[in-house]
Amino acid sequence: MLYIIRNNKQYGPYDEGVVAEYVNQGSVVEHDVAKDAQTGETATVAFFLRKKGIKTYVRHDGGVMRQLRKIGGDLIVPKESLVNREWMQDKRLLVLAIVGLFPTLMLLIPMPEIGVFYIMALYFSAIWGLFFYYFFKTPQVTLRTTITVFFLTHIFVFVVWDIFGLVRFNPFYALTEAPFPIDLLGFVFGVGLTEELAKMVPLLIILARAKEPLLPRTLVFYGLMAGIAFGVFEGVQYQTTVNTQLDYTSAFYGNIARLTSLPFLHAIWCGIAGYFLAFANLYPRYRHALYFLAVAIPALLHGLYDTFCQGSILLAIVISFVGVFLLMTYLKRSGDYQSRLKR
């Protein structure tokens, strides 16, 4: 005798022969959970039937056409849902369609080479944005501010890098061409420090204009978006300059990396900055130390990553993981930070 368990409800007990007939009728499936009424042993229906030497065969409800008619054309081709525009109310459907079809739709629009690279960069930015929104959103996060942060970072970096070329005034950039370990100074105090400070500007503006204290997770999210914006901006530059000089395979990999992993790293580093900036705003007595951490930790991680990318990609990957580990650990220990800083 067997009990049939489905959706945490127990039915029966039934004789094994009766259970086999239910399987043949399709009302019970072989992978349903069953329990022996005497021993209490739990397994699948198929296990107990095989144990008794009972074979089953599900009887078909007619041919294919009969089965299709039984399913019904209204379910196969949901014309009513299309006419009533029910699909317009399903945000998941719209997001899925946009994400999935966007690159194909862009094929219909003629644009220059730089436009193609930038459009694809925006596409991957949107995917990263959805990913970060799912994991880091707070009630304080708004779509308007998110979009503002993204494009404000683009504009600021374009003005600073391409128009004014202010990065040339940082003497540490010259050290990036020196041998190790001198190049580490160039990558930390030149590349890392300059780029991380640039990505922080939108976050400082958000803090200055905030009408309420911002949660650390809120500013982490905006930091992630600022980092993605910087990463894809930098990625487009590399795709249209450095990567064009590489062989096909290296260029292909470089282009993909510039749209995925590298913007992700920029996001993580800026997310860490956002975390400490938020605490500096919440606990101004400790703002000097917190501002220092907001700049120093991302710049150091950034500089170490760039340095080891020149010689040992394995070490660079380790540094990347350390950045992710730190950000997630910081978020988990936000309560500890608050308790410590309240004293």
Side-chain angles (χ1 to χ4, degrees):
M1 301 287 284
L2 298 175
Y3 287 104
I4 305 299
I5 303 172
R6 182 178 284 182
N7 297 326
N8 296 321
K9 292 185 178 180
Q10 183 171 282
Y11 304 91
Y14 307 107
D15 181 79
E16 283 82 353
V18 174
V19 173
E21 182 58 28
Y22 285 155
V23 172
N24 293 337
Q25 294 173 1
S27 55
V28 172
V29 296
E30 291 186 333
H31 288 92
D32 271 327
V33 178
K35 183 173 72 172
D36 190 300
Q38 294 182 332
T39 65
E41 181 182 11
T42 301
T44 63
V45 168
F47 171 81
F48 287 113
L49 295 182
R50 284 198 302 268
K51 192 174 180 180
K52 288 288 186 176
I54 301 175
K55 295 182 178 181
T56 58
Y57 180 79
V58 179
R59 293 188 289 270
H60 298 289
D61 187 4
V64 173
M65 296 306 298
R66 173 181 167 81
Q67 293 177 21
L68 288 174
R69 286 194 296 270
K70 187 66 177 290
I71 294 172
D74 59 317
L75 295 181
I76 300 172
V77 183
K79 293 182 293 184
E80 184 177 344
S81 297
L82 185 63
V83 172
N84 294 338
R85 298 185 179 182
E86 293 178 5
W87 57 276
M88 293 290 290
Q89 302 172 10
D90 191 342
K91 294 182 180 179
R92 294 177 303 172
L93 169 64
L94 296 176
V95 170
L96 183 64
I98 292 172
V99 171
L101 299 177
F102 183 81
T104 303
L105 293 174
M106 289 301 100
L107 294 175
L108 303 175
I109 304 175
M111 61 183 71
E113 181 183 82
I114 186 67
V116 173
F117 285 111
Y118 193 72
I119 286 294
M120 292 309 300
L122 290 178
Y123 172 68
F124 279 93
S125 299
I127 295 176
W128 275 123
L130 292 171
F131 177 82
F132 289 141
Y133 181 78
Y134 177 80
F135 279 100
F136 298 98
K137 66 178 179 180
T138 72
Q140 294 177 323
V141 170
T142 65
L143 179 61
R144 179 180 177 180
T145 304
T146 301
I147 295 175
T148 301
V149 167
F150 184 85
F151 287 104
L152 180 62
T153 304
H154 269 287
I155 294 171
F156 178 77
V157 173
F158 175 73
V159 171
V160 171
W161 260 254
D162 290 358
I163 296 181
F164 292 109
L166 295 181
V167 295
R168 293 175 299 179
F169 297 100
N170 187 331
F172 284 98
Y173 266 88
L175 298 181
T176 59
E177 302 297 328
F180 182 83
I182 302 301
D183 62 341
L184 177 60
L185 296 175
F187 284 116
V188 172
F189 294 102
V191 179
L193 182 62
T194 305
E195 294 187 2
E196 296 308 320
L197 283 173
K199 289 185 288 183
M200 284 175 53
V201 169
L203 305 185
L204 294 172
I205 294 175
I206 290 175
L207 282 173
R209 296 174 59 86
K211 297 180 180 179
E212 62 176 339
L214 295 181
L215 299 171
R217 187 178 290 269
T218 298
L219 214 60
V220 165
F221 173 78
Y222 290 135
L224 292 169
M225 295 309 302
I228 285 293
F230 183 94
V232 297
F233 178 87
E234 182 183 67
V236 171
Q237 289 187 319
Y238 271 83
Q239 287 174 291
T240 56
T241 55
V242 177
N243 291 1
T244 60
Q245 308 302 316
L246 304 175
D247 62 86
Y248 177 80
T249 302
S250 299
F252 175 79
Y253 174 78
N255 289 342
I256 295 298
R258 286 289 170 183
L259 293 173
T260 53
S261 293
L262 297 179
F264 170 76
L265 291 179
H266 278 289
I268 292 296
W269 298 328
C270 194
I272 292 174
Y275 180 84
F276 287 109
L277 288 177
F279 273 107
N281 189 56
L282 291 172
Y283 302 99
R285 288 197 306 161
Y286 301 95
R287 62 184 180 275
H288 290 161
L290 292 167
Y291 283 143
F292 172 78
L293 292 173
V295 176
I297 295 178
L300 179 61
L301 291 171
H302 191 155
L304 287 171
Y305 174 83
D306 283 358
T307 300
F308 291 124
C309 270
Q310 312 302 310
S312 175
I313 191 65
L314 179 60
L315 285 175
I317 292 174
V318 171
I319 295 299
S320 304
F321 179 79
V322 168
V324 178
F325 167 78
L326 286 177
L327 178 58
M328 299 310 295
T329 304
Y330 290 151
L331 287 171
K332 287 182 180 179
R333 302 195 62 181
S334 293
D336 296 336
Y337 271 86
Q338 292 173 352
S339 299
R340 188 73 56 83
L341 297 176
K342 283 180 180 178
R343 296 175 184 176

